[in-house]
Amino acid sequence: LIGVGTGPGNFTGIRIAVAAARGLSLSLNIPAIGIGTPEALAFGLPRPCRIVIPGKRDTAIWQDFTDTPSEPQQSSLDALPPGPPEATPQISIAEGIARLARARAGTPQPRPAPIYLRPADAAPARDRGPVILP
C-alpha cells in the first residue's frame, strides 16, 4: 500500500509525489491512496475542529472537520470565517497520511490526484514549437 499526500501545498512537490506514487502503484501492482494535508493533520483529533496551515504572505489553508467535512480553503489569516475551534495537530503529516491510508486499505478509492486551491503560476507557451527535422 502506498499513501501519498495530495495537498494542498507546494505545487511542484505535490505533483511529483502523486506522480511517483501512481507510478509505483502501477509497477508494483499495489494500491495508492491519496490523503489531503489538512485531513492528515486532523487524524485522531476530536470533532468538530478546524485545521489551519499558515501559508505565504499572511494567508492560510484551512479545513473544517465536522459530521460533513468541508473542502480545503485558502484565505488571509485575519479573514477566516467563523467555524469550529482551531485544533493543534498531534501527529506529523507523514504519520497522518500513513494511518489514514492504512485505514482505507481494501476499500475502493479514487486514484490520487493533486488538490489545487488556485491556478498554476506558469502556463504553456502560446507560440508553436520548433519544427523537428527528420
Side-chain angles (χ1 to χ4, degrees):
L1 170 68
I2 298 171
V4 62
T6 56
N10 174 285
F11 182 82
T12 304
I14 296 297
R15 289 182 63 88
I16 291 170
V18 169
R22 287 174 64 172
L24 287 169
S25 170
L26 288 171
S27 66
L28 298 172
N29 197 29
I30 60 176
I33 298 176
I35 307 293
T37 303
E39 185 179 12
L41 291 172
F43 180 82
L45 294 175
R47 304 298 203 262
C49 70
R50 173 178 284 175
I51 295 295
V52 178
I53 304 167
K56 295 179 183 176
R57 294 173 283 225
D58 296 326
T59 62
I61 295 167
W62 58 273
Q63 186 172 357
D64 293 339
F65 293 90
T66 58
D67 293 336
T68 55
S70 67
E71 294 294 319
Q73 304 289 320
Q74 186 173 12
S75 63
S76 67
L77 274 171
D78 57 355
L80 294 175
E86 187 175 331
T88 302
Q90 302 299 308
I91 60 173
S92 69
I93 295 171
E95 184 177 348
I97 290 169
R99 288 178 180 268
L100 285 167
R102 174 84 173 166
R104 293 179 185 166
T107 62
Q109 297 290 316
R111 292 187 321 180
I115 299 171
Y116 300 125
L117 297 182
R118 61 183 181 85
D121 294 331
R126 292 181 185 223
D127 55 338
R128 288 186 50 192
V131 175
I132 305 297
L133 300 176

